[in-house]
Amino acid sequence: MKNTVKTIAAGSLIVAACLQSCKPPKNTSDAVTGDAASKAYVAPGKYDEFYNFVSGGFSGQMACYGLPSGRLLRVIPVFAVDPEKGWGYSEETKPMLNTSHGFVPWDDLHHPEMSQTNGEVDGRWVFGNANNTPRVARIDLKTFRTTEIIELPNSAGNHSSPFITENTEYVVAGTRFSVPPDNANGDVPINTYKQNFKGYLSFISVGKEGNMDIAFQIECPGVNFDLSHAGKGKSHGWFFFSCYNTEQANTLLEVNASQRDKDFIMAVNWKKAEEYIKAGKGKKIPTKYVHNVYSEETHSATSEMKTEVLVLDSKELKDMCYMIPCPKSPHGCDVDPTGEYIVGSGKLAALIPVFSFDKMQKAIADKQYDGEYEGIPVIKYEAALHGEVKKPGLGPLHTEFDGRGNAYTTFFVSSEVVKWSIQDLKVLDRVPTYYSVGHLCIPGGDSKKPFGKYLIAYNKITKDRYLPTGPELAQSAQLFDISGDKMQMILDFPTIGEPHYAQAAPADLIRKDQVKIFKIDANKHPFVAKGEKETKVVREGNAVHVYMTCVRSHFAPDNIEGIKVGEDVYFHVTNLEQDWDVPHGFAIKGAKNAELLIMPGETTTLKWTPEKVGIFPMYCTDFCSALHQEMQGYIRVSPKGSNVPLEFSTGKTATEATASK
């Protein structure tokens, strides 16, 4: 009967929350004041102050916007094929989407995370997570391209990632869906969840030039890890994860995983984990996962299958992991700039608990425990608690900080952002959002040094905000000025996909080292043609390799004959331009993959297998000059067994052609 009452109560809360979330916030007409336009305005020809990297959610990509203008600057292909840029279609980029399951052309990117040095955003890289087929990607901000993707073994639903330590020593990922380990028999009844399912935390090391590798994993109880953040300053060496479904339910989680008054924040001492590894406490476990790397020298990706991973057991190594009770079904898990305070955001809680790192350390030293959870010590709630923010709003999700002692939390149900004091836990301000806000971003807001000027809220529902577009409406971001005592909405703008988490950094921090062109002389692609004199067409068995160049405004060669039906034709196209912002495109009639978009000095390959006889035009897809329309050519395809010789030419007119052709 007791569980039934709890179930009904949880269900009632959820229904009430849903009803509340559909109502517009009060005082909506006062949300934007008269000077908002001037604060968000960026004049034509002027640069934005910040880059804002936003998850594309179910698009699988990452978007980059300028702030404060809200202008979309680039969609960065990451985990989903992109025909605009040929990502996942060109022969060079196909390996980037390899996994142990084969080529996977889509995923669900939830969380960007920027690299840090000494706890401050450094502008080198931004990481992203694949939620569906667990992976972590590294995007190089010199090129705004995905240059590395590593798959995560023993994982399912890579939601709690890719969060980093203060010197980017590790990118850390927690599994959302606990499952049987890769080396165990997975053919078990689903209702044996408590006996057979495990949750894994992955610690991915990052070298000075990138080079990600899974340093170790920690096997944990079969819970759902939601979000996480690393300690910083005094708490450097620790990582904190929100956990839900501590009931270990395997069906109807909306009710069955909401039974307990408190779930947990898991505190992980990764410095202690490193000590255990040095002491030989880790076990090498057989598994399979893929590591993909893109080289800017060869303009090509390679894919390597890994076959084992080092695992530590949280049950056996007692002083490595600790549980802190946290109400209720926590989502956000955020650490303030000093590293002292850890904020948990229980989706079904009516308060915000704030934990103290110093109190947690004392509780561990004094063994102030409330039993164990599957072998992991549970610290007493009051022993680790700094205090609670009382009645802040409905449905707290995520918190970031302005560096001035203030925290800002999103409330999904009451559709608002609330500002509160970290020290005395008093609510200072609240503003409505439109509508059902999820995550928020303050530039540098999860680092030691937030920039504290803007806050961006990412909303799940837009309703009446933009022109309607059928059943699905535009996703929404809303920009607030937080430089004063009161938050002020100054802009909203649509975004791609479903925006979840985001990161932002000053533009000057990133602009200084950007690549403008790839130098032709440094191009080490195996099929590069560094000038028109090096162009050629070569048949090797059933494959034909076309060494092609493009420059304003023609291809070389632009006439090719002797191709036969069923042959695999590889067009290796080198862009000879050495000017910034002069890419060329390449497309063929009837091709079943995509176009190519080739940057200055780059070589990219399109594979084409003609299926019928005929003349097939090719052309440049990217407007490159006044004579862009003239940048075209022809390919003649003859039947199998044809004796038409393989020939190619550039500049040979029809009147010069022989009658036999």
Side-chain angles (χ1 to χ4, degrees), residues 251-268:
T251 183
L252 282 179
L253 264 62
E254 61 180 318
V255 173
N256 292 324
S258 303
Q259 300 289 322
R260 298 185 176 186
D261 292 331
K262 292 182 175 68
D263 289 282
F264 296 118
I265 297 293
M266 176 184 256
V268 178

PDB file of all heavy atoms in Angstrom, residues 251-268:
ATOM      1  N   THR A 251      11.031  -1.120 -16.161  1.00  0.00           N
ATOM      2  CA  THR A 251       9.836  -0.811 -16.935  1.00  0.00           C
ATOM      3  C   THR A 251       9.105   0.354 -16.281  1.00  0.00           C
ATOM      4  O   THR A 251       9.205   0.553 -15.058  1.00  0.00           O
ATOM      5  CB  THR A 251       8.906  -2.038 -17.036  1.00  0.00           C
ATOM      6  OG1 THR A 251       7.780  -1.708 -17.864  1.00  0.00           O
ATOM      7  CG2 THR A 251       8.396  -2.461 -15.670  1.00  0.00           C
ATOM      8  N   LEU A 252       8.402   1.151 -17.091  1.00  0.00           N
ATOM      9  CA  LEU A 252       7.651   2.316 -16.604  1.00  0.00           C
ATOM     10  C   LEU A 252       8.468   3.147 -15.619  1.00  0.00           C
ATOM     11  O   LEU A 252       8.043   3.411 -14.496  1.00  0.00           O
ATOM     12  CB  LEU A 252       6.337   1.868 -15.951  1.00  0.00           C
ATOM     13  CG  LEU A 252       5.197   1.494 -16.900  1.00  0.00           C
ATOM     14  CD1 LEU A 252       3.969   1.056 -16.106  1.00  0.00           C
ATOM     15  CD2 LEU A 252       4.830   2.649 -17.829  1.00  0.00           C
ATOM     16  N   LEU A 253       9.648   3.593 -16.091  1.00  0.00           N
ATOM     17  CA  LEU A 253      10.521   4.340 -15.197  1.00  0.00           C
ATOM     18  C   LEU A 253       9.893   5.643 -14.718  1.00  0.00           C
ATOM     19  O   LEU A 253      10.242   6.147 -13.649  1.00  0.00           O
ATOM     20  CB  LEU A 253      11.866   4.622 -15.878  1.00  0.00           C
ATOM     21  CG  LEU A 253      12.978   3.620 -15.533  1.00  0.00           C
ATOM     22  CD1 LEU A 253      12.611   2.222 -15.992  1.00  0.00           C
ATOM     23  CD2 LEU A 253      14.304   4.053 -16.151  1.00  0.00           C
ATOM     24  N   GLU A 254       8.969   6.219 -15.490  1.00  0.00           N
ATOM     25  CA  GLU A 254       8.358   7.484 -15.064  1.00  0.00           C
ATOM     26  C   GLU A 254       7.690   7.348 -13.701  1.00  0.00           C
ATOM     27  O   GLU A 254       7.543   8.326 -12.969  1.00  0.00           O
ATOM     28  CB  GLU A 254       7.338   7.953 -16.103  1.00  0.00           C
ATOM     29  CG  GLU A 254       6.192   6.981 -16.316  1.00  0.00           C
ATOM     30  CD  GLU A 254       5.194   7.486 -17.349  1.00  0.00           C
ATOM     31  OE1 GLU A 254       4.889   8.681 -17.314  1.00  0.00           O
ATOM     32  OE2 GLU A 254       4.737   6.686 -18.172  1.00  0.00           O
ATOM     33  N   VAL A 255       7.261   6.128 -13.354  1.00  0.00           N
ATOM     34  CA  VAL A 255       6.666   5.869 -12.042  1.00  0.00           C
ATOM     35  C   VAL A 255       7.598   5.039 -11.168  1.00  0.00           C
ATOM     36  O   VAL A 255       7.892   5.390 -10.026  1.00  0.00           O
ATOM     37  CB  VAL A 255       5.301   5.156 -12.188  1.00  0.00           C
ATOM     38  CG1 VAL A 255       4.765   4.744 -10.824  1.00  0.00           C
ATOM     39  CG2 VAL A 255       4.312   6.065 -12.898  1.00  0.00           C
ATOM     40  N   ASN A 256       8.101   3.957 -11.731  1.00  0.00           N
ATOM     41  CA  ASN A 256       8.875   3.007 -10.925  1.00  0.00           C
ATOM     42  C   ASN A 256      10.246   3.532 -10.523  1.00  0.00           C
ATOM     43  O   ASN A 256      10.837   3.039  -9.561  1.00  0.00           O
ATOM     44  CB  ASN A 256       9.027   1.687 -11.686  1.00  0.00           C
ATOM     45  CG  ASN A 256       7.699   0.965 -11.829  1.00  0.00           C
ATOM     46  OD1 ASN A 256       6.864   1.009 -10.926  1.00  0.00           O
ATOM     47  ND2 ASN A 256       7.489   0.315 -12.964  1.00  0.00           N
ATOM     48  N   ALA A 257      10.783   4.504 -11.258  1.00  0.00           N
ATOM     49  CA  ALA A 257      12.062   5.097 -10.872  1.00  0.00           C
ATOM     50  C   ALA A 257      11.869   6.390 -10.090  1.00  0.00           C
ATOM     51  O   ALA A 257      12.808   7.178  -9.950  1.00  0.00           O
ATOM     52  CB  ALA A 257      12.921   5.352 -12.112  1.00  0.00           C
ATOM     53  N   SER A 258      10.647   6.624  -9.608  1.00  0.00           N
ATOM     54  CA  SER A 258      10.366   7.828  -8.814  1.00  0.00           C
ATOM     55  C   SER A 258       9.838   7.464  -7.436  1.00  0.00           C
ATOM     56  O   SER A 258       9.137   8.245  -6.798  1.00  0.00           O
ATOM     57  CB  SER A 258       9.335   8.702  -9.548  1.00  0.00           C
ATOM     58  OG  SER A 258       9.789   9.039 -10.836  1.00  0.00           O
ATOM     59  N   GLN A 259      10.160   6.258  -6.978  1.00  0.00           N
ATOM     60  CA  GLN A 259       9.626   5.768  -5.706  1.00  0.00           C
ATOM     61  C   GLN A 259      10.315   6.412  -4.505  1.00  0.00           C
ATOM     62  O   GLN A 259       9.668   6.767  -3.522  1.00  0.00           O
ATOM     63  CB  GLN A 259       9.795   4.242  -5.627  1.00  0.00           C
ATOM     64  CG  GLN A 259       9.072   3.480  -6.726  1.00  0.00           C
ATOM     65  CD  GLN A 259       7.564   3.513  -6.547  1.00  0.00           C
ATOM     66  OE1 GLN A 259       7.066   3.434  -5.431  1.00  0.00           O
ATOM     67  NE2 GLN A 259       6.839   3.638  -7.635  1.00  0.00           N
ATOM     68  N   ARG A 260      11.622   6.563  -4.582  1.00  0.00           N
ATOM     69  CA  ARG A 260      12.379   7.001  -3.405  1.00  0.00           C
ATOM     70  C   ARG A 260      12.381   8.515  -3.272  1.00  0.00           C
ATOM     71  O   ARG A 260      12.340   9.246  -4.260  1.00  0.00           O
ATOM     72  CB  ARG A 260      13.822   6.491  -3.510  1.00  0.00           C
ATOM     73  CG  ARG A 260      13.902   4.964  -3.540  1.00  0.00           C
ATOM     74  CD  ARG A 260      15.339   4.486  -3.523  1.00  0.00           C
ATOM     75  NE  ARG A 260      15.388   3.018  -3.467  1.00  0.00           N
ATOM     76  CZ  ARG A 260      16.503   2.323  -3.331  1.00  0.00           C
ATOM     77  NH1 ARG A 260      17.660   2.930  -3.233  1.00  0.00           N
ATOM     78  NH2 ARG A 260      16.456   1.003  -3.281  1.00  0.00           N
ATOM     79  N   ASP A 261      12.445   8.971  -2.034  1.00  0.00           N
ATOM     80  CA  ASP A 261      12.507  10.408  -1.789  1.00  0.00           C
ATOM     81  C   ASP A 261      13.824  10.998  -2.276  1.00  0.00           C
ATOM     82  O   ASP A 261      13.889  12.174  -2.627  1.00  0.00           O
ATOM     83  CB  ASP A 261      12.341  10.704  -0.296  1.00  0.00           C
ATOM     84  CG  ASP A 261      10.945  10.376   0.197  1.00  0.00           C
ATOM     85  OD1 ASP A 261      10.002  10.452  -0.609  1.00  0.00           O
ATOM     86  OD2 ASP A 261      10.807  10.028   1.383  1.00  0.00           O
ATOM     87  N   LYS A 262      14.858  10.169  -2.256  1.00  0.00           N
ATOM     88  CA  LYS A 262      16.172  10.651  -2.680  1.00  0.00           C
ATOM     89  C   LYS A 262      16.860   9.606  -3.555  1.00  0.00           C
ATOM     90  O   LYS A 262      16.763   8.406  -3.301  1.00  0.00           O
ATOM     91  CB  LYS A 262      17.063  10.960  -1.470  1.00  0.00           C
ATOM     92  CG  LYS A 262      16.606  12.141  -0.635  1.00  0.00           C
ATOM     93  CD  LYS A 262      17.588  12.406   0.509  1.00  0.00           C
ATOM     94  CE  LYS A 262      17.206  13.664   1.280  1.00  0.00           C
ATOM     95  NZ  LYS A 262      15.958  13.500   2.033  1.00  0.00           N
ATOM     96  N   ASP A 263      17.520  10.098  -4.587  1.00  0.00           N
ATOM     97  CA  ASP A 263      18.463   9.277  -5.346  1.00  0.00           C
ATOM     98  C   ASP A 263      19.859   9.702  -4.903  1.00  0.00           C
ATOM     99  O   ASP A 263      20.055  10.006  -3.732  1.00  0.00           O
ATOM    100  CB  ASP A 263      18.218   9.449  -6.847  1.00  0.00           C
ATOM    101  CG  ASP A 263      16.925   8.787  -7.288  1.00  0.00           C
ATOM    102  OD1 ASP A 263      16.921   7.563  -7.432  1.00  0.00           O
ATOM    103  OD2 ASP A 263      15.920   9.495  -7.494  1.00  0.00           O
ATOM    104  N   PHE A 264      20.835   9.782  -5.821  1.00  0.00           N
ATOM    105  CA  PHE A 264      22.199  10.066  -5.366  1.00  0.00           C
ATOM    106  C   PHE A 264      22.946  11.015  -6.307  1.00  0.00           C
ATOM    107  O   PHE A 264      22.689  11.069  -7.509  1.00  0.00           O
ATOM    108  CB  PHE A 264      23.022   8.772  -5.285  1.00  0.00           C
ATOM    109  CG  PHE A 264      22.530   7.780  -4.280  1.00  0.00           C
ATOM    110  CD1 PHE A 264      22.103   6.521  -4.679  1.00  0.00           C
ATOM    111  CD2 PHE A 264      22.495   8.093  -2.927  1.00  0.00           C
ATOM    112  CE1 PHE A 264      21.655   5.598  -3.754  1.00  0.00           C
ATOM    113  CE2 PHE A 264      22.050   7.175  -1.982  1.00  0.00           C
ATOM    114  CZ  PHE A 264      21.627   5.922  -2.408  1.00  0.00           C
ATOM    115  N   ILE A 265      23.883  11.724  -5.707  1.00  0.00           N
ATOM    116  CA  ILE A 265      25.046  12.262  -6.418  1.00  0.00           C
ATOM    117  C   ILE A 265      26.194  11.315  -6.093  1.00  0.00           C
ATOM    118  O   ILE A 265      26.471  11.053  -4.918  1.00  0.00           O
ATOM    119  CB  ILE A 265      25.412  13.685  -5.943  1.00  0.00           C
ATOM    120  CG1 ILE A 265      24.272  14.677  -6.233  1.00  0.00           C
ATOM    121  CG2 ILE A 265      26.716  14.143  -6.593  1.00  0.00           C
ATOM    122  CD1 ILE A 265      24.005  14.945  -7.683  1.00  0.00           C
ATOM    123  N   MET A 266      26.828  10.760  -7.130  1.00  0.00           N
ATOM    124  CA  MET A 266      27.986   9.899  -6.894  1.00  0.00           C
ATOM    125  C   MET A 266      29.257  10.740  -6.986  1.00  0.00           C
ATOM    126  O   MET A 266      29.479  11.435  -7.981  1.00  0.00           O
ATOM    127  CB  MET A 266      28.051   8.756  -7.907  1.00  0.00           C
ATOM    128  CG  MET A 266      29.298   7.885  -7.748  1.00  0.00           C
ATOM    129  SD  MET A 266      29.425   6.622  -9.029  1.00  0.00           S
ATOM    130  CE  MET A 266      28.917   5.221  -8.083  1.00  0.00           C
ATOM    131  N   ALA A 267      30.073  10.698  -5.942  1.00  0.00           N
ATOM    132  CA  ALA A 267      31.360  11.393  -5.910  1.00  0.00           C
ATOM    133  C   ALA A 267      32.461  10.379  -6.174  1.00  0.00           C
ATOM    134  O   ALA A 267      32.555   9.361  -5.482  1.00  0.00           O
ATOM    135  CB  ALA A 267      31.564  12.071  -4.556  1.00  0.00           C
ATOM    136  N   VAL A 268      33.290  10.650  -7.187  1.00  0.00           N
ATOM    137  CA  VAL A 268      34.340   9.715  -7.601  1.00  0.00           C
ATOM    138  C   VAL A 268      35.706  10.379  -7.436  1.00  0.00           C
ATOM    139  O   VAL A 268      35.952  11.458  -7.996  1.00  0.00           O
ATOM    140  CB  VAL A 268      34.145   9.276  -9.067  1.00  0.00           C
ATOM    141  CG1 VAL A 268      35.259   8.335  -9.503  1.00  0.00           C
ATOM    142  CG2 VAL A 268      32.783   8.610  -9.247  1.00  0.00           C
TER     143      VAL A 268
END
